[in-house]
Structure formats: structure tokens, C-alpha cells
């Protein structure tokens, strides 16, 4: 009996390691970017029936698990409020160090409002560099102005 | 008597509001990008003597404040571990929702290691879009592989 | 020297109590609903120049304070993550008790996404009731579907 | 052996996903609104014997589970004090941003006291809007004045 | 300039110690029980104009402070979520040890609902006992059943 | 293998729901008040051998479980420092709102010291009231003065 | 204007350092042990009028401060729940490492109940030892058995 | 498969309750004081092979469990930073109330440094007293001065 | 089914205790230092295929577990933000006591930037000393200057 | 009036920035290593009279401040349990990632016990490296075995 989406994520991770599946393969069968597809496999996005079935075939999931992939999940992928993993922590650190900077510059350019984390997309690529390759991440989120009423 | 950098940040914020200074003006006198310059004014980066003096002139700071701008500050710009401000929270939410995705994709591309938050740069621009303009942020950080020994 | 918006909120509260100003009066001079206007006076919204000057006149604020009212503030009006005030706690309790219900019903109706807290409005009224009057709150937020990419 | 209500909630969720049951169907067999019925299925309300048996039939629950549905549960539906799920977080954010506003306006209208979260009802509907449909939530709670003695 | 009720509580405490005023004296001028009156002086209840003026006279408060006493305060009298003071901790401990007991017995007697902390009164007296006098506290709160809808 | 008292509490709760046993029945076989008896069944008090055996018979517990009922348990019945359940939260709220009041009044009457939570008793009854019945709780704890030495 | 006991503790500490007063001198004028006297000076115990005046004379305190020394203080001497100071942390560590041991041994000897922290005394001495002198602390607290009722 | 020491502690507690073994018996077969022996059985100390085998025989443990008893365990016996159990809390309260006192008196006697919690011993005894027996605890820890270099 | 790296760490710990394997033996088969090798076995580093297979042979792990050893793990080896184990706490204490010192001295020598925890190595040895042997730890991390842009 | 050591640390920091004093200069006048001296100036160590006077002369401190430098301070130099500053966080990260490794290797070499953080010394130097200079830190702490008794 599956009772939450995290159990499906665990099944996917287990199959991924055993079968040496790559996220790019998952993205291919899902038909979306590798960023959205990975997030979806890790329990952060709801898939369509077709996507869920393709993922089920790739990772050899039960029908019940495939049903769960189509449900809007309880999101949040980290076990603690401040992440302990060094790679993920660096992102938290960026929010901590640059948080007020992002706020000031977005307000200077757009006025009061936010950058959406829902109408949002992200693209992660390798940026070759003689001094050591770089991780390049392009993020784009719709600006949402605060409504007055 | 100034005893920490936050006091200087407060002085800069006060002057900025009274004098209606823009961050882009600060960036100009500092001679770096608006992202680095804003972070530096908000107490997250150490300035050179020349930069500090230019900032002091722009915001009308005391000599003592100018000296503090050249000191490597105790970084961290948020008052709580989970930010309450909606704009900044969206960034925290991205780390929470996409944290494991970033980790998986960086490891798939680069192996074990991290994306540096120190040898790092960021560029924030307005992306015109008929459905509503977007905030575009390009981040680039050097990949640092875990050393074995 | 004013260094953050909370100082302006404190000035407004002080004047409000001394001069016995009502929030409905503030809303009138601001020209928005009493909900938005109160939130703006309490440091959660940025005002236009005209609004800020009207508020400054009503509460007898300095020019510097009026300048701060026009700045997008660091939002979040509560001193603790779980509020201690019984009135506000009841709202937190509603999120706690009905949180998963809101999530399920919005997803059932709209699919995966969120209800915006930015493109949002609220109307609070007294609902006469022979068994004791009721507080009626109508909230309306734009549904934002998760983008795939 | 069932030892707490959360186990019954897990059984309901599991059956809901497998059998593709809708909350509106649950509400129908329970005979209350979809809001109360969903909350009750999610472990936040106690059902009558008739309601519990109808829910048991719908979700194919054991007799023991049906008995638990009639017990006043330990309430609270969220795994963390500050919710990580973006949809639920937006509600927490509303409490955070508008908390003091709600307090001020209720006190201005009613005096010292609270809006009940017990003698309370809620109605969630879709509000069609050419700029994008909206989630409309109407809440109504009895005002309870602080007693003096 | 007084900007919150805690400042008035501090003034009252300061005057109380200097002038050796007893809470029973405060209760007398306020015209309510010593329990309600003490809570009101400690910033947890809103006073009427007459009560506030009487308290102002007793503790020698400014007119501004008297105005604040009539405002519904942001409640919560403890500096930490788990109180460190041994006397107050014992009450927290009672909630911790007997919390589920209170829940079970109230539900057994009344069904699902709560005991109001708003339509509530309390009486604290000395109970003489040869083995050592006892603190007797009688609490009475209206039972509020959960509404179905 | 039973390894802590919480497992026994879970067994009792499970049997209570299945067999529809009332706490008053448990109190009868234990031979103490319903308050102490319920707390003991919920894992907060140690029973005598006779009491434990009677409880074991009533709830159909194993011999091992009966042995555990006689052990002084690790006390604390709540899963979080600030309880999420609305009924129990109201008690926490009372400590929060009235904590300093209880402290002041006990000190005014008795001097420095505490009200014991160990040499303590509690009686919970229904108080009929035409405006809605009330929960009445009488608590009595020995006053313990701070020792000087 | 003194508004809480911590301000008096700060005055005492300031005078102690400037005037190089020893706690044993304070104990002498107070007429109690050095342990109780130090705790009292550090804001954890209420003094009699005579004791407070003696302490006022020793540390050169104002009349107002002397009045505060006679009030039962809000106790708790540490700024964080887990102390950061290494000396005090070692005591916290002892509670952490030996906490269940103390519980088991007291219950084995006395049955269910607690060791009082109110009817309690402590004596701290130097224990000469060729391998390095030792800190010897003797604590004695009345055993309080849980009352049944 | 045993994967941490807590599992062995659970086995010991289970056997202790079933077989009614006393800690003094454990201490006898271990050949150390009852304080050290109880702490070791509760997973806070590493035993020698001979001690572990004696404990294994007494509590009827598997060979694997006996092997784990000889490993230096991850120490810390409490489930929360602030203990909820009243007996253990009283010790935490002593650290909270007397923490700064212990610090001051140890520094007055010994200078800067700490009392070791490693080169430490403890003896807990019953102190008969006509007003109610007392728990007497003698602690002795080596003083360790801060090294300069 | 293995679903995360912690399960593999548990298997390694279990085998290590049963088979009395030393970390130095693990380091030998892995072919790296004992520091890196132990961290890798404890789930903090990713191994190569050859290393993982050697570890699998040494600790008698399944093929699935060997596959997991080659995956970059979610790092962080401690169950709480502030460690309770005395040995590990001392390291946390060093960060707490010497944290600002490390910061000041690194900045004085190198300017603004950090010491890498990724391009990092560590060597732990016994330092014989007549007054008691010492633990000597040499750490070396690349200095990474903050980039301006 | 100085009431705690942090005020003196603030004075030292203020003077250090204004007068551009280096920690190595402070170490010279103190006559200890730069590591100990910096920690002492930052409020973590107690100085002798001679050292305090030298520091007072260097940083131009008042006599009262000089007296405070000789008092054993309440230690702990970080504002939050998990540090936000990237340089200091890397050290916290090392404890988090390598904490169990340090524990295992010290126990393998020395048996159960700890590395002292009191009888401890540290040396920080620049290690030239063609791939980028490194921060080298050598730490040495006495091993303290757990005492049995």
C-alpha cells in the first residue's frame, strides 16, 4: 500500500541506482526538460498520465506508483530547514548572502512584487572554462506585481 | 562608535531612501556589476579603498564607515533561517523544491562536488514577455570536485 | 535617522493611539480598501507618492518617514514563526488544520499549482447573526498553474 | 492494529489514489460540505457513525478504521511549523503578511476578542476571470469577545 | 513616544516595584477580579477608558500610556516558547504531561470541540493544608463544539 | 518485544477504540480518579501491580505490557513543543497569556516558590450553563517555597 | 527607570568587575551560602529586605535596584536553550549523557517522582588531587513522589 | 542486523522490564559503580569485553549485541534539546537557574577553565530526612584550565 | 530495496562491529587515506567502481549496496544541528569559540574569501606527550577569494 | 557602565578598524600566539592583568574595559547555532560531514574519550601552492579518556 509520494520517489531512486538510469533518459521519455523531469521524478511535480506511464515503464514501477505520479505532491525536497548537504547548502547560502540584493534589484527594476516560483523555468548547463568548468544556471520567473484593491 | 558592519548598512539604506539613490548609481561609482555592488553595499562583500571612498561620497558616510566597508564582513543578510519576505521566500522555496534536482543534475554532469558560491557571478535582467515581463537571472559558479587524498 | 520600515510602522502606531485615528480613515485618504491600506500602514505594502503623503499628513510623519513608505518593505508582520497572539493564532490554526484540505480541494478543482498571495485581495466584514455576529472574510487569489518546460 | 488516526488518513489517501475517488464524492456520502468532508477524511474532524460507515464503504476501510473515524482526532495536518509545500505556504504567508492587519480590522470592528476557528465554516469556489480564473474562499467564524470577570 | 504595549507593561512593573503596589489594589481600582486585572496590567487584556484611567492614576502613567491600555494588545507574555521560569514551567509541564488527558476527558464528556480560552475565567486562591498550603486554581471555559457545515 | 512505554499507550488506544472502552471504566478498575487514571493509561504515571493487571484485563494487554505499566515512564505526551491540536493548544495559550499573571499572583500570595506539578491533583467536570455548558477544571498543587541555605 | 531584574544583574556585574568584589564577600553580607548568594545576585532568587540592602551597599546600587532585588524574578540565566559557554555546556552535557541514568536510579531507589529543584541545596568545593584538583559539587534535593488521587 | 547502539539499549530495557532486573544487579556483574554501569547499559559508555559479556548474560543478549556494547557509542540520551520528562527537566532547570552561578564560583576558585564531564564521577544516594528523604548527588570532575599558547 | 545511502552506511557499521574490521583496513582496500576512506564508508563521499567493489568485498555487501557507494550521497552525518555526542560536540565548540578567530586570521592573511571544505584534506595522528597523548589534526583547504564581477 | 564582555569586544573591533591594527600586533603585545590572542580579544579567553593592560593601551580602552578583559567570559562567538557566514559555515560543514569520521578515527586510535577543546592549541598558516595557496590549520588537543568508577 503506497500512502505518500515519497515512497514513489524512493522506488525511483532505488531503480535508478540499480539500473544505472540517467535523468536525461527520464527527461526523454517524459518529453520535458531535464530540470522539470528530474524534479517530477523526485516528487515535486505532478505528471500527466502519459508521462507517468513512461516513467513507470522506465523505472519498472507498479500501477499504484504510476497513479501517485499523477497526483499534485506535497512539495519540499529537503529533510531540514537549513540543508546539510554542501552542494544544496551553497544554494541556501546564495539566498542568505544575496537575498536582500535580489530583493533590491528586482524592486528597482520592477517595483513591489515577486518573481514567480511557479511560472518559472530553469536551465542548467556546463560552461567550459580553462580555469575550471563552471555550472551555469539560467532561471526565469514571471514578475508578479502586488495587486492593490 | 561603529561596532559592526550592519550599522554601516543601515546608514547606507537611510541615505539611499532620503536621497533617492539607485543601486545602478552605486554600481557605477564602484565600478563593478550592479549585483556585486548592491551586495557589497548591503554588507556582504568587502570593498577596496577606492570603492569604499566612492560609496562614502555617494551616500555621505563618515570616514569610520568608509573604513568598515573595506573589512570582510560577517555575511548573511536575512533575519531568520526561513525568510518571511515573499520575494526572498520564493528563492528559498526554489532551493526547497529544486534542491535535490540541482544536486542530481550537477552530479550527473560533473560527478561529486559542488558549484562554488564564492567563485560565482550573477546577472539579473528584465526579460520582456507579452504575457508579462519576466525576471531572468543567470548564475555561474565554478564547479569544485571533491578532492580525494 | 530612519533605517528600516518597522520604525515607520512604530511611528504610525504611536500616532494612531494618541490621535485615535481609525484604519477606515487611513483607507479613505489612501484611496484603497481598508484591508490593503491597513497592511500598507503596518509595513507590508509599498505606497505611491500621493498615498504616502496623505498618510504622512494623517499621522503627522516626517518627510523621511514618507519617503520610506514608498519603498517595497521587507515583509512579514509577526515576531515568531508560530504567532502567540490568540486572534492571529486562530488563523495559523486554520492553516494547520485545513492546510491539506485547501491543497486537496484546489488541486481537485484546478490541478497542480497555487493560489496567488500577490495577485490577491481580501474583504473583511461583520456578518450579523442572532447567535452572535460573525467575522466574514472573502479572499480571492489568482490560480497559478505550475509551468512545464 | 491501528494506533492513531494518521494511519487511517494514510489508508484513505492510498485508496483515493488507486480508485480515483474525488473529494466531492466523499462529501456526497458524508452529507456535509466538501470542505468539512475533506478535512474529516484527512484526519481533522470526528465523524458520526453513519458518516464513518459511508466513508468506510467508499474507501473500502476495515471496521477498525471506521471506529477510528468517529474519534476526535489529534489535529494538525502539517509536518512542519512552517509548511514547505508552496500552495500551503502561500496561506502561511498570508497569515504572516496580513496577520496584524486581520487583528487590527477585527478589533476595530468588534473590540478585543477573536474570530472562532471552531464555530467556523469555509467555502472554496472557482471564480472565472478572463485574466485567469481565481480561487475564492469565503470564511466565516463567530466573533468571541474576551470575557471580563 | 510609546510604540507598543510592552513599553506600558514595563512602566507598570517599574512603578509597582518602586511604589510597592499590590495586584489586589490594581484589581480594586479596575473593578474586576485580581486574575483579569493582573493580566490586563501585564499587557494581555484591553481596558475600558475608566479602567485605564484608574490604572494610570494608581501607577502614575502618562496620558499616552493610558491610551495604549485601551487598545487590544498583541498577546503572549512569555519570552520563549518553552518558559524557563520554574513557576511558569510547571504550568507548561502540566500541559505536556496532562495535555492528552485533558483532551480525552473533555472529548469523552462533550464530544469533539474545545474549551474556550476567551470565554474563560480563572480564580486563584490559597488552600490551607496542614501538610503545606496549596495553590488552588479554578478554571472555567465555555465548551465550543466543532461546527459541521 | 516492547521497548518503551509509548508502545503500550498505542496498544491501549487501539483497544479503547475497538472495544469502545470509556476512561471512566478504566478509572473504576484502577481505583483512582478519572484524571489520574487517564494520564496513567496514556503513559504519564506508573501503576501499582494491581492497577496494571486490572488495566491489562480491561484492554486485553500482554503480560509484558502489564509489566511496563508499572515502570515510571519517560513523561511528556505531546509530539511538539507548541501543540498543534486546538484543544490542547488552548491550554498552552492560557499558559502563554496568563503565565506571568499566575506567577505574579502566586508570588503575591505565597512569596518566591512554585506550585508543585507533582504533589498535584486535578478535577474536570461539566458546568451546566444556559448560555452553553462549560468545562470546569479545579487544580490544586502544593506550594513549594524556594529554600535558602 | 528599572523595568526588569536583568538590569539589576547587569549593574551588579558591572560593579563587581570595577570594584573587584568576590562572590564570597557577597555571601558574607547576605548571610547565606556562596551558592545561594551568587544565584541571588545573578537574578535567580528573591532577597529579603535586609539582604537586598546589604547587597545594595556592597555593590553601590540605587534604592530602586534594591527594591527589585526583593521581587521574585523571572528565572533562567542562560541566553540559549543549549548553552554555548564551555563550562556551562559541560553541565548540560551531563544532563544529556546521564539524564536517563539519573532517572533510572532515582526511580529504582524512590519510585516514581522527582528530585526537587526548589527544596534544593548545593555546595561547591575544591577537591585537592595530585593528578589535578577537582571540582566537587554536592547537591541535595527533596524527593517528591507523584501523588495519586 | 543491529545497526546502532540504541537498538541494544532497547533490548536491554525490554529484558530489564520483563525479567525485573535491577540496575544494582547490572552494576554488580559489570564491576563498576551503579552510576557508570547504568549509563553504560543505557548506551552512553563503552564496556570491556568481559563487562559486555556479563551484561549479555544478565539481559540475555545476542553475540552481536554484546559486540556493540564494546563500541564507543554516539552519546546523548534525550530525545529533545529541552527534556520533557519532569525528573530530567529538573536537572535541566538546575543548569538553567544555576548555570551562571556554577560558572562564577568555579572561576572564582579556579580561574578560567571547565569542570571535566569526562574525567568525572557521580554518586547518587538516599539521604534520610524527617521532613522527607532527599536525593543526594555528589559529582566530582577534574578542573581543566584553558591552555595559553 | 535500498532507497538511500544511509541504509548502506548502516550495513557497513553492522558488518564492521560483527567482523571487527578496522577503518585502517578499509582505507587499505580503498587506496586512499584513512580520513577520506572512513568518511566515504560513513556515507559522505562517492567511491569509484573499484573502490566500491573492494569495500563491498570487505564488508560483505550486496551488489545493490555497492552500486549505491558510487553515487554522490546526500551529505551530513549528524542527527541534530548541535551534536549531542561529547567528542563531536567539542569540534562544534571549537567552531563556536574560535569561529570568529578563524575568520579574522584568514582574512588578515588572505583577504575576503573562504577556506574550501571541498578541495580539502585532513590528517589525524597521535602525538605522544608525557602529560598525556594528544590528538593532532592537520587540515588543509584551498583558499578561495570572493570573485568580483 | 560596561555590563558584559561583548561590549568590550565591540570596542576592540571599533578601534581595530579605525586604527587599522592587525591581530599580529595584538599578539605581540599580549605575548601569546596570534590564535590565542585573537580569540582573547574577541571575548573568548581571559587575559592576565599585564596582557589586558597591553591590549588596553593598543586599542585605547578605558580602565573599566581593561578590568573586564581579565574576567573569564561567557564564551561562544556566533550569533546563531548554524553560522550564516560562509567562511565560518565551512568549518561547521566540516564538523557535519566529517564529524562521525573524527569520532571513529579517534576511538580507533585512543578508545572511548574525547579530544580536549580546553587543553588545546591551534596554528594557522599560509601553505603556498602553485594551484592556489592553501589555509593550513594544525590543531592539537589532549586526549581525555572516559573515566570508569
Amino acid at each position: 500500500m503506497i500512502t505518500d509520494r515519497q515512497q514513489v520517489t524512493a522506488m525511483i531512486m532505488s531503480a535508478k541506482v540499480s539500473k544505472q538510469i540517467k535523468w536525461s533518459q527520464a527527461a526523454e521519455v517524459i518529453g520535458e526538460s531535464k530540470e522539470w523531469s528530474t524534479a517530477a521524478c523526485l516528487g515535486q511535480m505532478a505528471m500527466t498520465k502519459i508521462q507517468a506511464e513512461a516513467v513507470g515503464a522506465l523505472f519498472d514501477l507498479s500501477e499504484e506508483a504510476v497513479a501517485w505520479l499523477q497526483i499534485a505532491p506535497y512539495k519540499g525536497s529537503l529533510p531540514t530547514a537549513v540543508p546539510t548537504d554542501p552542494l544544496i547548502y551553497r544554494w541556501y547560502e546564495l539566498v542568505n548572502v544575496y537575498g536582500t540584493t535580489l530583493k533590491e534589484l528586482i524592486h528597482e527594476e520592477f517595483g513591489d512584487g515577486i518573481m514567480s516560483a511557479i511560472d518559472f523555468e530553469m536551465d542548467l548547463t556546463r560552461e567550459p572554462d580553462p580555469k575550471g568548468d563552471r555550472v551555469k544556471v539560467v532561471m526565469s520567473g514571471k514578475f508578479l506585481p502586488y495587486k492593490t484593491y
Side-chain angles (χ1 to χ4, degrees), chain A:
Chain A
M1 188 181 73
I2 299 175
T3 59
D4 67 36
R5 178 73 175 270
Q6 286 176 32
Q7 294 163 358
V8 184
T9 302
M11 287 168 197
I12 289 176
M13 283 309 296
S14 180
K16 180 180 187 300
V17 173
S18 292
K19 298 164 179 265
Q20 318 245 36
I21 299 166
K22 288 197 167 302
W23 294 116
S24 52
Q25 291 170 261
E28 214 165 299
V29 305
I30 291 173
E32 302 282 359
S33 67
K34 70 182 181 309
E35 288 77 14
W36 189 93
S37 301
T38 305
C41 288
L42 292 173
Q44 305 300 315
M45 302 288 163
M47 300 184 188
T48 64
K49 193 164 192 300
I50 289 171
Q51 291 171 334
E53 280 165 357
V55 166
L58 182 64
F59 291 101
D60 202 13
L61 304 174
S62 69
E63 211 174 310
E64 198 186 0
V66 168
W68 273 93
L69 288 175
Q70 303 169 50
I71 302 296
Y74 191 94
K75 298 175 179 73
S77 68
L78 304 178
T80 49
V82 176
T84 61
D85 180 79
L87 184 144
I88 301 178
Y89 183 80
R90 293 310 179 275
W91 287 89
Y92 177 76
E93 180 177 311
L94 289 174
V95 176
N96 217 318
V97 170
Y98 281 104
T100 47
T101 295
L102 289 161
K103 182 173 175 64
E104 289 293 329
L105 292 177
I106 292 174
H107 291 329
E108 185 156 309
E109 178 65 32
F110 293 90
D112 199 3
I114 62 156
M115 166 179 151
S116 181
I118 309 293
D119 186 339
F120 170 85
E121 63 189 54
M122 178 168 73
D123 183 44
L124 187 153
T125 49
R126 175 191 285 262
E127 195 179 29
D129 189 308
K131 280 178 290 182
D133 285 6
R134 300 178 75 82
V135 182
K136 182 176 172 186
V137 181
V138 181
M139 292 168 163
S140 160
K142 192 178 177 185
F143 178 73
L144 306 178
Y146 261 97
K147 184 179 181 176
T148 54
Y149 52 94

